[in-house]
Amino acid sequence: MAPIGPGTTRVLITGFGPFHRYKENPSWLAVKPLHGITLTTDSGRPIHITTLELPVAYEYVLRNVPGLHKRPPVLPPSADAGIPLPENGYDFIFHVGVSGRGPIRIERLGHKYGYDLTLPDADGQFGPIVILAEGSDSEPVRGFGEGYEAFPGDLPTDVDVPALVIDLKKDGAELGMSVDAGHYLCDFILYASLAISRQVVGPQEKPIPVLFMHVPLPREVSTEKATDMARRIILWVCGGLP
């Protein structure tokens, strides 16, 4: 692997691991080929990409996503120890998950509550139970509790998703956008990552961009096309960084 030079933009892209009927998760198959490569924007900015496979598990996401945003990051043991961590943290964190049908779409919002009660995660668990008000008659919900109290019910990405979609469509991309990431692990990791990105910055700092892309099953969109879409999105987002 070529050395990572000073001034290189550092990107972390995550995909999910096996769950239920997927022995290999299409999201991981899409992002895995990008591991360790360096892209270059039109302006000459080098972008180094690290990929990370995450289990489809609520508790794992809660425990490990905060570390992805630390400076330097704290990655789980499954990460490639051969790639040096960026001392000042990642410049862009990009999550990818699988959806049932196409097209590829970018999610604009993460949701705090209302997580799926019919489909357990890979550990057989559901989202955390949250009591919204002690002593009230309200029913418990599934979602984010301790540590996330200050955050609203919906968190939007700071990336200009409509502009991203329009620009890539001009270049022939089949790409959509959504405000419903599904209230399952895809939604869960998006909300967690957006919230943590806002927690770790100082009062005068902007959070790093966080984005989520849903890829359909390979019978709908090939793995190669999904990988290429991730590459193009990384170039677009990083091309707009200061």
Side-chain angles (χ1 to χ4, degrees):
M1 182 185 68
I4 301 169
T8 298
T9 296
R10 300 294 300 275
V11 173
L12 177 68
I13 179 167
T14 73
F16 280 114
F19 79 111
H20 301 299
R21 66 183 184 275
Y22 301 112
K23 292 183 179 179
E24 289 187 297
N25 194 305
S27 67
W28 177 239
L29 294 177
V31 306
K32 183 169 63 170
L34 298 172
H35 185 63
I37 73 168
T38 298
L39 305 176
T40 305
T41 65
D42 290 341
S43 64
R45 178 200 295 260
I47 305 164
H48 185 273
I49 301 172
T50 300
T51 67
L52 181 63
E53 183 181 20
L54 301 176
V56 182
Y58 288 104
E59 184 57 36
Y60 189 95
V61 167
L62 277 180
R63 190 170 65 249
N64 286 282
V65 164
L68 309 184
H69 290 269
K70 288 184 180 293
R71 304 173 183 177
V74 177
L75 301 187
S78 59
D80 180 356
I83 293 184
L85 298 173
E87 189 64 31
N88 295 318
Y90 290 106
D91 300 296
F92 173 33
I93 294 181
F94 187 15
H95 303 291
V96 180
V98 65
S99 62
R101 300 184 67 86
I104 295 172
R105 68 178 189 268
I106 306 299
E107 300 296 341
R108 299 179 66 180
L109 292 175
H111 300 91
K112 190 173 187 178
Y113 303 125
Y115 281 83
D116 198 313
L117 286 172
T118 62
L119 185 63
D121 65 17
D123 291 337
Q125 303 298 311
F126 295 98
I129 296 174
V130 180
I131 306 297
L132 294 181
E134 292 290 342
S136 74
D137 295 330
S138 61
E139 291 290 325
V141 296
R142 300 274 178 172
F144 291 87
E146 185 177 358
Y148 294 84
E149 297 90 343
F151 294 101
D154 297 337
L155 275 178
T157 177
D158 291 329
V159 176
D160 189 343
V161 175
L164 164 63
V165 171
I166 289 169
D167 281 355
L168 293 191
K169 277 187 168 182
K170 288 177 183 175
D171 292 333
E174 294 182 16
L175 182 64
M177 54 185 167
S178 162
V179 293
D180 182 5
H183 291 84
Y184 189 54
L185 262 299
C186 295
D187 211 340
F188 199 75
I189 197 170
L190 175 57
Y191 189 93
S193 202
L194 287 168
I196 297 300
S197 73
R198 288 155 167 79
Q199 281 184 337
V200 299
V201 296
Q204 304 303 317
E205 289 182 276
K206 287 185 64 176
I208 65 164
V210 171
L211 202 60
F212 190 96
M213 179 176 80
H214 260 126
V215 298
L217 299 177
R219 67 172 181 264
E220 299 281 334
V221 173
S222 72
T223 297
E224 292 76 17
K225 283 187 176 180
T227 302
D228 183 62
M229 186 68 76
R231 181 189 63 80
R232 294 168 70 179
I233 289 169
I234 289 169
L235 285 168
W236 191 95
V237 172
C238 294
L241 292 176

